Amino acid sequence: EAGGGSNTAGGEGVNSSDTFAFLLLLLLIALLSASTVLREAWGDVTRNHFKLLLHVTIIVTAVIPPELPMELSLAVTQGLGELARRYQVYCTEPFRIPLAGLVDTCCFDKTGTLTSDELRMHGVRLPSAGADEAAGAAPAGDGGLV
C-alpha cells in the first residue's frame, strides 16, 4: 500500500508513518524534559555536572522502547513466513531479510548454481525485451542481450 502501511490477509498491518510520528513525539517530550532538567539544575553549584549529564542522557535514551529489538525480530520472522507461504521463497539467513529491500540486481549462472567463486557478467537481459515478445513482436537477434 502506498500510504506507508501494509494490509495482510490476517488484517490491518503496521502503519509505519504512525509509528514514526509516535516515536518522534516521544523523542520531543524526552528532549523537552531533558532540557528542562539541564536548565534548572546546571546553575546549582552543589550538583555534580557529570551526574547531571548522565541523568539527561538517561532521560533521552529512555524513549526507545525496550521491546523494540524483539519487535524487529518478530517482524523479520513474519516476513520469512510470508515469503515461504506466498512465494515459496525460503531464507537460510533471516538477518538478511531487511537488506533484501535494497537489492536492485540479481545475477545467476545458467545452471542455477555458481560453479566458481567469481561471477563474470557477459550481458544484461532487459525486462522490456520479454514484454515485446509477449506482445507479438519478433525477438531481437541476440535474444535481448545488451
Side-chain angles (χ1 to χ4, degrees):
E1 180 176 295
S6 62
N7 291 328
T8 60
E12 186 68 29
V14 175
N15 189 335
S16 60
S17 62
D18 288 346
T19 304
F20 180 72
F22 177 68
L23 288 175
L24 192 61
L25 177 68
L26 285 177
L27 180 63
L28 181 67
I29 291 170
L31 288 174
L32 183 65
S33 300
S35 66
T36 302
V37 167
L38 193 60
R39 186 178 53 244
E40 295 295 324
W42 193 259
D44 188 359
V45 293
T46 61
R47 288 192 175 247
N48 183 345
H49 286 181
F50 175 75
K51 282 188 177 181
L52 181 61
L53 290 175
L54 185 63
H55 286 290
V56 167
T57 304
I58 289 171
I59 290 171
V60 173
T61 57
V63 169
I64 300 171
E67 299 87 9
L68 188 62
M70 181 180 63
E71 290 171 2
L72 292 174
S73 177
L74 288 172
V76 168
T77 303
Q78 182 180 4
L80 284 171
E82 287 294 314
L83 282 172
R85 185 177 66 81
R86 288 186 185 184
Y87 306 107
Q88 291 74 44
V89 173
Y90 301 97
C91 180
T92 58
E93 299 180 18
F95 62 91
R96 303 248 186 233
I97 292 292
L99 299 174
L102 301 174
V103 173
D104 63 356
T105 305
C106 291
C107 299
F108 301 96
D109 68 355
K110 66 181 181 178
T111 62
T113 57
L114 297 176
T115 54
S116 71
D117 58 350
E118 79 177 41
L119 183 64
R120 286 172 278 163
M121 185 76 72
H122 290 283
V124 175
R125 183 174 303 270
L126 300 175
S128 61
D132 291 340
E133 291 174 19
D142 60 357
L145 286 177
V146 176

